[in-house]
Each structure stands twice: as structure tokens, then as C-alpha cells.
Amino acid sequence: MSDLKQLFENNARWADAIKQEDPEFFEKLARQQAPEYLWIGCSDARVPANEIVGMLPGDLFVHRNVANVVLHTDLNCLSVIQYAVDVLKVKHILVTGHYGCGGVRSAMRDTQFGLIDGWLRTIRDLYYEQREHLAQFGNEEERVDRLCELNVIQQVANVSHTTIVQNAWHRGQALSVHGCIYGIKDGLWKNLNVTVSGLEQVPPQYRLRPLGEV
Ligand SMILES: [Zn+2]
């Protein structure tokens, strides 16, 4: 018997339930996707994008990696952002971290986990930069949670520093980059209120003029 039997049964029930609500749901969805949101979140199994914000298939374009990191050399993440912004024309990018993130915690400890340590390296750098601020917190859990927030804030900045997002603003395209955090302990999704919606909110050193303009 297949180890996946339960999953296929679950899937059949799920598809049935959606079709009961809207018999043409999947046919309509197959013709096009027009999501307004790009979700950039952690791969953690406890942070399922659509369920958290009550969205159906087709509503969210999703990129997930360990500790929701946005690097300017990551072709995967940048390609997702480029397609979402230039082609799908999403209006909102939702960078969502979560409290108790194992990736963030690993970046604060001296244990090796292998290849992943390199992926998390920029969070270790952020931990070092913020060491005095983080030292004010009473215990490791609080320091981890605060660094989870600071990591989201850093990734919002990284997204808004990409030429993909800045060129959208140059074109006059409405696009906001939001920083949010999810509580695994209470299921609540919180706005960190660090939204960036235009070039004037970006520090001058990170602002680029349109391509070709000198
Ligand atoms: Zn995580």
C-alpha cells in the first residue's frame, strides 16, 4: 500500500469540498492566475501561507525558503519577485517571518548543520550587528523572537532595494512591501508596520535611477 494513500484521499476530499462551493472553481483557475499578493515566507511546516490569511488557490503567489531570506544573488527568489511584479503585477509583497524560527535560532548558535549555515549567514551578521540591542532581552527565546522581527525588517529593505521593485515604482506601478510576523503559538499574523510603498522611503544610498538614465 502506498505511503501516500492518506494524502491522495485528503486531496480528493479537499477538491470535492471546493467544487461543492463553486463547481467551476478549478476550471476558472486553470485559465488564469491573477493574485494580488506575493508571499515571501519561511519553509517551516507550521507556517502555511494560504491558510494563515484565509486565501484560496490562485490568491497568493508564494516563495518560501528557510528563514524567509531575500538575497540579491539568489536567482530563485529574485525570479519569483520579478515574475510577480513585472508579469502578474501583484500589488503587495508580504514578507512574513515567524516567531521561534529555527533558522534564526541556528544563526545565533555555534552548532553546525551543514550547507544551511551558509544560507543563514546574513542572519548571523544581523545578530552580530544587533548584539547590544539583543542583549537587553532576558532570555534566549526573547532574543530569538526579536531577531525574527529584525530579520523581517531587513528582508523588507532587501526587497525594496531590488531594481525589480524600484523599476516598478519608476513606471508608476502601485506596489507595497510589507513586513509581517506569524505567531506559531497563537496563530496570529501581525503587521510590523514597516511598509515601503515608494522610492522616497528608501535610503538615498540604495535608490537607483531608471536603467539608462545617467
Ligand atoms: Zn522559520
Side-chain angles (χ1 to χ4, degrees):
M1 190 176 36
S2 164
D3 290 341
L4 302 182
K5 184 167 178 284
Q6 182 69 54
L7 303 190
F8 286 116
E9 285 173 5
N10 290 350
N11 167 254
R13 265 197 307 277
W14 170 80
D16 259 357
I18 288 186
K19 279 186 276 189
Q20 300 247 325
E21 289 274 311
D22 180 356
E24 289 172 32
F25 180 84
F26 291 109
E27 286 160 43
K28 284 187 282 186
L29 207 56
R31 285 196 287 274
Q32 67 158 357
Q33 63 165 340
E36 287 194 10
Y37 307 95
L38 163 62
W39 174 283
I40 299 175
C42 184
S43 300
D44 193 305
R46 299 165 296 178
V47 191
N50 285 62
E51 285 89 336
I52 287 172
V53 287
M55 292 272 170
L56 287 169
D59 292 336
L60 277 189
F61 199 61
V62 173
H63 176 78
R64 290 169 67 181
N65 63 49
V66 175
N68 40 272
V69 175
V70 178
L71 298 178
H72 293 95
T73 49
D74 177 12
L75 195 59
N76 182 351
C77 181
L78 292 180
S79 298
V80 171
I81 296 173
Q82 189 261 321
Y83 187 78
V85 170
D86 291 352
V87 182
L88 297 174
K89 301 210 170 356
V90 298
K91 295 186 173 68
H92 303 277
I93 299 177
L94 313 170
V95 178
T96 292
H98 66 98
Y99 291 121
C101 181
V104 171
R105 186 180 288 108
S106 302
M108 299 172 79
R109 289 184 175 173
D110 59 3
T111 314
Q112 278 198 45
F113 289 99
L115 185 65
I116 187 75
D117 300 321
W119 175 252
L120 298 171
R121 172 57 190 270
T122 57
I123 303 179
R124 186 174 295 276
D125 294 337
L126 185 62
Y127 176 39
Y128 184 67
E129 280 169 32
Q130 298 285 341
R131 63 192 181 283
E132 287 176 14
H133 168 70
L134 290 164
Q136 300 166 16
F137 293 83
N139 57 51
E140 191 196 20
E141 196 181 346
E142 286 175 14
R143 285 191 290 276
V144 169
D145 285 350
R146 180 59 183 149
L147 191 56
C148 289
E149 292 180 345
L150 295 173
N151 179 44
V152 169
I153 294 166
Q154 181 63 56
Q155 307 316 325
V156 167
N158 289 352
V159 173
S160 64
H161 297 169
T162 63
T163 51
I164 301 161
V165 167
Q166 295 197 5
N167 283 336
W169 288 330
H170 286 312
R171 292 193 295 268
Q173 191 175 324
L175 179 63
S176 295
V177 186
H178 309 270
C180 303
I181 194 149
Y182 174 72
I184 287 174
K185 288 180 184 166
D186 59 13
L188 295 177
W189 186 61
K190 188 170 87 179
N191 195 342
L192 289 173
N193 297 314
V194 290
T195 300
V196 183
S197 303
L199 216 52
E200 67 285 354
Q201 289 174 266
V202 174
Q205 292 80 0
Y206 290 102
R207 273 183 226 161
L208 295 181
R209 284 191 269 177
L211 184 63
E213 189 181 287
V214 287

